[in-house]
């Protein structure tokens, strides 16, 4: 093997980087992880761990010397980092995709240009931009910082002009998007594995959020065939327009009139795709490894209907939870090896499989309730 083939570079060492690295190891590949956090989960098992800033030029040169290909698990990596790496090695996803998806305004403009449906939105760049809502507000809206939002952070529901002004002052940013609050019937997401040769759609998941953080994904999503086709079409348009290679997730809203809208694009593996680790023969992480190492495209076939529940740090309030119920054929526990469980921090997830998705869902609710009562 040439020196350059030694490692796959992974920018970011959180849980998505961790599950990628575990799968890469199973497929006999080595991974170099770059992350500024010295205790990050993937850093602990990486074949090479560089603990520094994403724009550290020495680190980027080290990646160029040791790797042919680079990927990421996190959309808030500076896209400049990807631009620097792209000059010399393959980078999937490309810097353009990262640039578009890390800024809500750019993302919405990109979608509108493709004539794809988004929520009603307004760009807010100054206090003056707020004024028109003093008279003509189609309340309620959600004010979101244009950059650096995740897991519901950096956003606030506003019901009138004074709440809007208050949240504008309080949220720390100079660029916002004001989105119409949608009457949601459902939220669903489409993970796609974009190989150089072709794009594979994983089953669409139906997503339930608590406090704007993903709580549960149910697969298959309970939507009709027409909706599936629309969602696949929209995803394909995004993938083609970005020349996308890698794993992508598109989050969708379906409103109470059955309109389908794109919520946001994640240029990486996604929490709502974690079910695929046990519910499919080929998981989103296996696809990511396969794409980066030029393996043949494979389809993901569903083994059984699945329900995934997230385990947040809140469950650790009285010490480590009792997960003995997961010692069962069709229940799979995945913990992320994080040092400190904080409220809202994603510590792990559980996949529950059953021939009946209703039963899997009932079990998930029962276990979640019990975990909370401990
Ligand atoms: P994040 O980057 O934090 O995931 P999102 O924009 O996806 O940000 O918002 C998180 C969640 O908040 C969504 O999954 C949805 O449940 C809710 N939400 C966000 N925007 C809207 C909206 N315009 N209307 C209704 N609910 C929304
Ligand atoms: Mg989201």
């Amino acid at each position: 093997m040439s020196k350059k083939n030694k490692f796959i570079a992974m920018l970011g060492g959180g849980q998505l980087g961790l599950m990628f690295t575990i799968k890469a190891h199973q497929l006999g590949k080595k991974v170099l992880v770059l992350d500024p956090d010295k205790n990050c989960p993937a850093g602990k098992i990486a074949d090479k761990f560089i603990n520094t800033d994403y724009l550290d030029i020495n680190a980027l040169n080290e990646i160029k010397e040791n790797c042919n290909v680079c990927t990421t698990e996190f959309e808030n990596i500076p896209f400049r980092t990807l631009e620097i790496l792209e000059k010399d090695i393959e980078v999937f996803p490309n810097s353009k995709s990262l640039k578009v998806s890390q800024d809500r305004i750019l993302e919405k403009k990109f979608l509108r240009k493709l004539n794809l449906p988004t929520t009603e939105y307004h760009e807010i760049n100054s206090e003056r931009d707020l004024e028109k809502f003093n008279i003509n507000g189609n309340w309620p809206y959600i004010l979101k910082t244009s950059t650096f939002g995740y897991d519901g952070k950096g956003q606030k529901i506003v019901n009138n002009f004074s709440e809007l002004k208050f949240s504008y002052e309080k949220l720390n940013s100079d660029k916002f998007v004001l989105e119409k609050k949608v009457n949601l019937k459902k939220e669903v997401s489409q993970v796609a594995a974009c190989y150089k040769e072709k794009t594979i759609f994983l089953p669409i998941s139906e997503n339930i959020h608590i406090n704007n953080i993903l709580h549960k994904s149910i697969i298959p999503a309970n939507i009709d065939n027409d909706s599936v086709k629309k969602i696949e079409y929209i995803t394909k348009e995004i993938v083609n327009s970005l020349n996308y290679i890698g794993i992508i997730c598109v989050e969708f809203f379906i409103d109470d009139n059955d309109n389908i809208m794109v919520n946001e694009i994640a240029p990486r593996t996604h929490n709502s795709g974690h079910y695929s680790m046990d519910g499919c023969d080929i998981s989103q992480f296996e696809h990511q490894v396969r794409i980066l190492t030029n393996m043949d495209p494979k389809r993901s076939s569903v083994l059984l209907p699945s329900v995934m529940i997230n385990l947040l740090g809140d469950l650790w309030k009285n010490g480590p939870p009792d997960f003995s119920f997961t010692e069962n054929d069709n229940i799979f526990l995945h913990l992320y090896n994080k040092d400190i469980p904080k409220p809202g921090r994603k510590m792990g997830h559980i996949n529950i499989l059953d021939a009946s998705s209703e039963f899997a869902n009932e079990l998930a609710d029962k276990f979640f309730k019990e975990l909370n009562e401990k």
Side-chain angles (χ1 to χ4, degrees), residues 102-119:
Q102 64 188 208
D103 185 327
R104 295 187 194 276
I105 299 278
L106 289 182
E107 186 174 68
K108 291 209 186 322
K109 285 185 172 161
F110 163 79
L111 293 164
R112 287 282 174 101
K113 213 167 153 196
L114 292 175
N115 270 322
L116 299 176
T118 69
T119 54

Side-chain angles (χ1 to χ4, degrees), residues 40-70:
C40 69
K44 295 172 187 162
I45 64 159
D47 301 282
K48 198 174 177 62
F49 176 39
I50 308 180
N51 173 218
T52 184
D53 191 83
Y54 291 121
L55 282 166
D56 180 331
I57 200 68
N58 291 329
L60 301 186
N61 283 333
E62 201 174 336
I63 288 178
K64 289 181 185 185
E65 278 162 26
N66 286 289
C67 311
N68 275 336
V69 66
C70 176

Side-chain angles (χ1 to χ4, degrees), residues 104 119 142 144 149-153 155 179-182 184 187 209 212 251 253 263-264:
R104 295 187 194 276
T119 54
I142 302 185
K144 300 183 182 180
Y150 71 98
D151 285 347
K153 292 189 173 67
Q155 54 175 281
E179 261 184 61
K180 176 77 193 124
K181 184 168 184 291
V182 176
L184 291 172
E187 290 191 67
H209 295 78
N212 289 349
E251 297 177 15
F253 290 153
N263 171 28
E264 59 174 353

Side-chain angles (χ1 to χ4, degrees), residues 95-237:
S95 57
K96 184 186 172 196
S97 305
L98 206 78
K99 190 173 178 176
V100 165
S101 56
Q102 64 188 208
D103 185 327
R104 295 187 194 276
I105 299 278
L106 289 182
E107 186 174 68
K108 291 209 186 322
K109 285 185 172 161
F110 163 79
L111 293 164
R112 287 282 174 101
K113 213 167 153 196
L114 292 175
N115 270 322
L116 299 176
T118 69
T119 54
E120 174 198 323
Y121 75 94
H122 308 270
E123 213 176 316
I124 306 280
N125 292 314
S126 68
E127 204 154 331
R128 243 189 25 195
D129 292 336
L130 294 181
E131 279 310 318
K132 68 171 178 243
F133 297 92
N134 198 353
I135 317 152
N136 286 325
N138 186 13
W139 312 98
Y141 294 99
I142 302 185
L143 184 68
K144 300 183 182 180
T145 59
S146 199
T147 52
F148 297 115
Y150 71 98
D151 285 347
K153 292 189 173 67
Q155 54 175 281
K156 216 77 208 140
I157 298 176
V158 291
N159 293 295
N160 52 49
F161 185 62
S162 68
E163 286 184 16
L164 173 61
K165 279 194 90 149
F166 181 79
S167 296
Y168 176 81
E169 301 291 329
K170 210 155 171 223
L171 290 171
N172 186 20
S173 180
D174 48 12
K175 252 179 25 174
F176 294 89
V177 53
L178 187 64
E179 261 184 61
K180 176 77 193 124
K181 184 168 184 291
V182 176
N183 285 327
L184 291 172
K185 182 170 174 183
K186 268 182 205 304
E187 290 191 67
V188 299
S189 55
Q190 171 72 71
V191 172
C194 310
Y195 289 77
K196 288 175 186 162
E197 303 85 346
K198 67 169 168 183
T199 292
I200 311 261
F201 294 108
L202 276 75
I204 295 167
S205 72
E206 189 169 329
N207 305 320
I208 317 280
H209 295 78
I210 297 181
N211 298 330
N212 289 349
I213 305 181
L214 183 66
H215 160 55
K216 180 163 80 169
S217 292
I218 303 167
I219 296 86
N222 183 13
I223 53 176
D224 62 23
N225 218 22
D226 261 12
S227 304
V228 171
K229 289 281 160 280
K230 271 189 202 148
I231 285 167
E232 288 185 355
Y233 167 81
I234 292 172
T235 306
K236 201 66 203 275
E237 289 284 295

